Amino acid sequence: MTTIRDVAKLADVSVATVSRVLNQTGNVSPKTLQRVEAAISQLNYQPNDVARSLFKGRSKMIALFVPDIMNPFFPELARAAEDVASKHGYTFVLCNTDGDGEKELTYLKALKQKSVDGIIIVSSTLSKDAMAHLDLPIIALDRKIGTNIAAVTVNNRKAAQQAVTHLQEVGCKRIAHIRGPQGASNAEDRMAGYIDIVGQTDWFNPSFICEGDYTADHAYKAALDLLQQHPEIDGIFAANDLMGVGVLKAAAALGKKVPDELAVIGFDGIALGEVTIPTLSTMAQPTYDIGARAAEMLIEHIDTYDLNRFVEPVEYEVKLIKRQSTERRTNDDK
Amino acid sequence: MTTIRDVAKLADVSVATVSRVLNQTGNVSPKTLQRVEAAISQLNYQPNDVARSLFKGRSKMIALFVPDIMNPFFPELARAAEDVASKHGYTFVLCNTDGDGEKELTYLKALKQKSVDGIIIVSSTLSKDAMAHLDLPIIALDRKIGTNIAAVTVNNRKAAQQAVTHLQEVGCKRIAHIRGPQGASNAEDRMAGYIDIVGQTDWFNPSFICEGDYTADHAYKAALDLLQQHPEIDGIFAANDLMGVGVLKAAAALGKKVPDELAVIGFDGIALGEVTIPTLSTMAQPTYDIGARAAEMLIEHIDTYDLNRFVEPVEYEVKLIKRQSTERRTNDDK
DNA sequence: TTGTAAGCGTTATCAA
DNA sequence: TTGATAACGCTTACAA
């Protein structure tokens, strides 16, 4: 490996001077500048980032915590964050947490030891206490964490209201909800939006709300139970698209026609929803944008070195996309 | 930040001794061992990995290059590699290359400067020359790179033969192929397998092979053209599932019934294929396994520090999964 | 404008 | 069994 010392020797200057041209700090005369640059390119010298990190205490790396990159919602988030990171010269570390608090803590520790500069976290298990100790720039993404950690999310409650209203508009009389996991702020908010719309109706029944965990398999089983126990249900709002697909499968398994006997709407807007049969209506998030925004905020946070600044939460809008799974029933009694 | 010096001071020993207990190298008396451990836990001391990396020249990080994490085949690969990395105490860096050679080179350089210990690469654009200079452990995944870089792949050619044979068995008489990008070894091999089976038939026509790039959109357009130009085509082997989905959409757009008028089979075995209509037959790769294996090989490679060792390429088997898109036509003239 | 030298937090060599 | 101390490759006071 060729070091700054080799360059200095070849250019017949001190390492300090080489460092100066490398970082464009301090003044160097045009003549020596040229000599140094020549030496650098002649030796094909590339500064050692580890040494830099050691001195500076920062690594030019950011990390993203996701529950599981195999859930199709997260790759887009990851892609966006990586694009932004790389654009700003940051290296991008990906951590699958499985929503496991222990794992999250282990990762946190490891990253801290590596002087990672900041972290974007999708989590509903991490306590803010754990992160107070951390003293690292953090942005919560998709789900809020406590109240004093900057967050990038969408307006889940309002979007959920819209989704349920849409089901009503296409003629649904008994609408159930398959919710996301306990403690996930987005799951709570989406459920709240559902309740806002149907909670006061005469038919509403708390057992119309099923616990889910954002996976298709679980939602499939939950929907099976739900539809067998409550055959009168003619609309389901699933808290994410993956669960929406699970509902679609359950409906198919039970011979329930979608949308004629059961209308279904999901949440997220993943590409998957376009290729199911029927295609899945959804509340589409601007997924790439929120991932990119979170990364931008984090990096700005890092660059300004402003650790204690309270950062306003950012909320994006969600867009209703109507597809076959909620196509208006023409033969409806409405 | 608390350093090894703080620990030494508190335990009233030298930093060398602390380092010894940290790394379990050299002998320390039980008494001092205890004192040091007490000091460590009292101060909640965690060694600085950057300093370690600087001294050792290795970082305990590995990277994965994928063309695009949003292509559903790659998250599973990434998940597997990350699992293995983390199991071995390595930090996992993800790089989206977009199949762009420039980007790959940029990443390579950046990672080298960070003393990344090794890289798993999915690429068809990186020249082996570029990597010879690199002098870093590398494993090629999914696609081969040159001949002297260890690779983990599947038996693409044989699997392609199987796929095409399966189309024949369900009654297809004119089978087309939508291939993967030029230069990608897996695309070449899959095409070779296709030609092995149909190249000598009397109906074979080179224009039955369409250029594709492993994306659904492109395949959609290609299939549209293909099916309009050659209405006699009754079977398509798409070189990956994403393109298979594109073909399904094209068939739907043209009013061609799948599988009755057109049978379709893909490659990869992504979950997406289970929720399309009709569901998509495929040659399923053991995706997680190959990702995990690549990471295991890389880390073993790193740990044994055996840079020049020639590593045998590893080839996994692929499994035919029959779904609706190739369901045997009972009213076939066969 | 340039150079010297003291760190950054480790590990490992060599003495004691 | 322990402790000084010289690296690792860089940046930045501080001097010259």
Side-chain angles (χ1 to χ4, degrees):
Chain A
M1 181 181 240
T2 128
T3 77
I4 197 173
R5 230 168 293 272
D6 303 321
V7 177
K9 208 155 292 172
L10 180 57
D12 194 32
V13 295
S14 74
V15 294
T17 302
V18 178
S19 180
R20 280 185 200 107
V21 338
L22 248 30
N23 302 286
Q24 295 165 333
T25 163
N27 293 330
V28 299
S29 80
K31 247 176 42 192
T32 51
L33 173 66
Q34 206 172 10
R35 279 219 313 286
V36 171
E37 279 175 339
I40 288 176
S41 74
Q42 185 178 333
L43 294 174
N44 190 24
Y45 165 71
Q46 288 164 2
N48 180 325
D49 270 344
V50 179
R52 282 182 165 170
S53 293
L54 178 58
F55 184 88
K56 299 228 178 190
R58 351 234 295 23
S59 63
K60 280 271 175 186
M61 296 197 295
I62 65 172
L64 171 67
F65 283 19
V66 293
D68 179 10
I69 193 70
M70 285 176 64
N71 177 329
F73 175 66
F74 295 115
E76 193 165 355
L77 240 35
R79 173 71 214 225
E82 205 257 343
D83 282 350
V84 171
S86 137
K87 191 179 77 184
H88 290 268
Y90 281 75
T91 293
F92 178 76
V93 173
L94 179 70
C95 302
N96 287 294
T97 63
D98 291 323
D100 174 345
E102 289 297 319
K103 256 187 159 176
E104 290 172 324
L105 258 30
T106 306
Y107 277 124
L108 243 26
K109 184 180 152 194
L111 294 175
K112 185 97 204 250
Q113 291 186 237
K114 286 204 154 16
S115 296
V116 161
D117 294 339
I119 311 183
I120 301 169
I121 299 190
V122 178
S123 167
S124 39
T125 43
L126 217 41
S127 77
K128 54 187 168 180
D129 303 350
M131 307 200 304
H133 279 287
L134 211 61
D135 157 53
L136 249 185
I138 302 255
I139 305 279
L141 179 55
D142 186 47
R143 311 172 188 185
K144 293 175 183 160
I145 303 176
T147 52
N148 48 4
I149 288 174
V152 178
T153 58
V154 294
N155 191 335
N156 288 294
R157 185 158 183 169
K158 189 176 138 209
Q161 292 169 1
Q162 266 183 272
V164 177
T165 301
H166 174 61
L167 288 176
Q168 287 179 326
E169 284 169 357
V170 300
C172 296
K173 303 298 186 204
R174 300 286 183 274
I175 301 173
H177 176 50
I178 302 193
R179 52 161 294 160
Q182 293 283 345
S185 75
N186 54 3
E188 305 297 349
D189 291 348
R190 289 169 200 177
M191 183 180 71
Y194 162 78
I195 291 175
D196 288 340
I197 304 297
V198 304
Q200 299 307 318
T201 61
D202 49 6
W203 55 261
F204 177 69
N205 182 333
S207 67
F208 279 17
I209 300 178
C210 296
E211 185 79 24
D213 63 356
Y214 284 150
T215 70
D217 278 355
H218 189 107
Y220 171 77
K221 287 169 201 145
L224 234 41
D225 285 356
L226 182 73
L227 291 170
Q228 280 166 333
Q229 253 178 301
H230 298 287
E232 73 273 25
I233 287 174
D234 59 358
I236 293 184
F237 166 44
N240 76 349
D241 285 344
L242 225 41
M243 297 201 298
V245 171
V247 171
L248 254 26
K249 283 191 176 178
L254 294 173
K256 276 231 180 207
K257 289 226 176 75
V258 177
D260 296 330
E261 296 168 334
L262 178 74
V264 182
I265 187 166
F267 203 112
D268 281 352
I270 62 180
L272 186 56
E274 299 173 56
V275 294
T276 54
I277 175 72
T279 53
L280 180 66
S281 295
T282 188
M283 300 303 303
Q285 301 196 44
T287 311
Y288 187 94
D289 292 345
I290 66 178
R293 177 67 175 274
E296 295 281 8
M297 280 171 60
L298 180 64
I299 288 173
E300 192 191 322
H301 205 156
I302 292 167
D303 287 346
T304 59
Y305 225 89
D306 193 355
L307 243 177
N308 295 325
R309 174 169 56 138
F310 177 77
V311 183
E312 285 296 321
V314 176
E315 237 176 42
Y316 278 75
E317 291 294 318
V318 173
K319 203 169 66 196
L320 169 62
I321 297 186
K322 301 177 187 176
R323 298 209 187 95
Q324 294 164 352
S325 69
T326 61
E327 233 152 51
R328 184 179 289 277
R329 279 70 78 73
T330 47
N331 57 349
D332 202 82
D333 63 347
K334 176 186 176 180
Chain B
M1 182 181 238
T2 129
T3 77
I4 198 174
R5 229 167 292 271
D6 302 321
V7 176
K9 209 155 290 173
L10 180 58
D12 196 32
V13 294
S14 74
V15 294
T17 302
V18 178
S19 180
R20 281 186 198 103
V21 338
L22 248 29
N23 302 288
Q24 295 166 330
T25 162
N27 294 331
V28 299
S29 79
K31 248 177 39 191
T32 52
L33 174 65
Q34 208 173 8
R35 279 218 314 287
V36 171
E37 280 175 338
I40 287 176
S41 74
Q42 184 180 331
L43 294 174
N44 188 26
Y45 165 72
Q46 287 164 4
N48 180 326
D49 270 345
V50 178
R52 283 183 163 170
S53 293
L54 177 58
F55 186 87
K56 299 226 177 188
R58 345 208 342 353
S59 63
K60 281 271 176 185
M61 298 197 293
I62 64 171
L64 171 68
F65 283 20
V66 294
D68 180 9
I69 193 68
M70 285 178 64
N71 177 330
F73 175 65
F74 295 115
E76 192 164 356
L77 240 36
R79 174 70 214 225
E82 204 258 340
D83 282 351
V84 170
S86 138
K87 192 180 77 185
H88 290 268
Y90 281 75
T91 294
F92 177 77
V93 173
L94 178 70
C95 302
N96 287 294
T97 64
D98 292 324
D100 174 345
E102 288 298 319
K103 255 186 159 175
E104 290 172 323
L105 258 30
T106 306
Y107 277 125
L108 243 27
K109 183 178 153 194
L111 295 174
K112 184 98 203 251
Q113 291 186 236
K114 286 202 153 20
S115 297
V116 161
D117 294 339
I119 311 183
I120 302 169
I121 299 189
V122 179
S123 167
S124 39
T125 42
L126 217 41
S127 76
K128 54 187 170 185
D129 303 348
M131 306 200 304
H133 279 285
L134 212 59
D135 156 52
L136 250 184
I138 302 255
I139 305 278
L141 179 56
D142 184 48
R143 312 172 188 185
K144 293 175 182 159
I145 303 177
T147 53
N148 49 2
I149 288 175
V152 178
T153 58
V154 294
N155 191 335
N156 287 295
R157 186 158 182 168
K158 190 175 136 210
Q161 293 170 0
Q162 265 183 271
V164 177
T165 301
H166 174 61
L167 288 176
Q168 288 179 326
E169 284 169 358
V170 300
C172 296
K173 303 298 184 204
R174 300 286 183 277
I175 301 173
H177 176 50
I178 302 194
R179 52 160 294 161
Q182 294 284 345
S185 75
N186 54 3
E188 305 297 348
D189 291 349
R190 288 169 199 176
M191 184 180 71
Y194 162 78
I195 291 174
D196 287 341
I197 303 298
V198 305
Q200 300 307 318
T201 62
D202 49 7
W203 54 261
F204 177 70
N205 181 332
S207 68
F208 280 16
I209 301 179
C210 297
E211 185 78 22
D213 63 355
Y214 284 150
T215 70
D217 277 356
H218 189 108
Y220 171 77
K221 287 169 200 145
L224 234 41
D225 284 355
L226 182 73
L227 291 170
Q228 281 168 329
Q229 251 177 305
H230 298 286
E232 71 274 24
I233 287 173
D234 59 357
I236 293 184
F237 165 45
N240 77 348
D241 284 344
L242 224 41
M243 295 199 300
V245 171
V247 171
L248 254 26
K249 283 192 176 177
L254 294 174
K256 274 231 181 208
K257 289 227 174 76
V258 177
D260 295 329
E261 298 170 333
L262 178 74
V264 181
I265 188 166
F267 203 111
D268 282 351
I270 62 180
L272 186 57
E274 298 174 55
V275 294
T276 53
I277 174 74
T279 54
L280 180 67
S281 295
T282 190
M283 301 303 304
Q285 303 196 45
T287 312
Y288 188 95
D289 292 345
I290 65 177
R293 177 68 175 274
E296 296 281 8
M297 281 171 60
L298 180 65
I299 287 173
E300 193 192 321
H301 204 155
I302 292 167
D303 287 346
T304 60
Y305 226 89
D306 194 356
L307 244 176
N308 295 327
R309 172 170 58 138
F310 177 75
V311 183
E312 286 295 321
V314 176
E315 237 178 41
Y316 278 74
E317 291 295 318
V318 173
K319 202 168 69 196
L320 169 63
I321 297 186
K322 301 177 188 176
R323 298 209 186 96
Q324 294 165 353
S325 69
T326 60
E327 233 152 52
R328 182 178 293 276
R329 282 66 85 69
T330 48
N331 57 347
D332 203 81
D333 63 344
K334 176 184 176 182

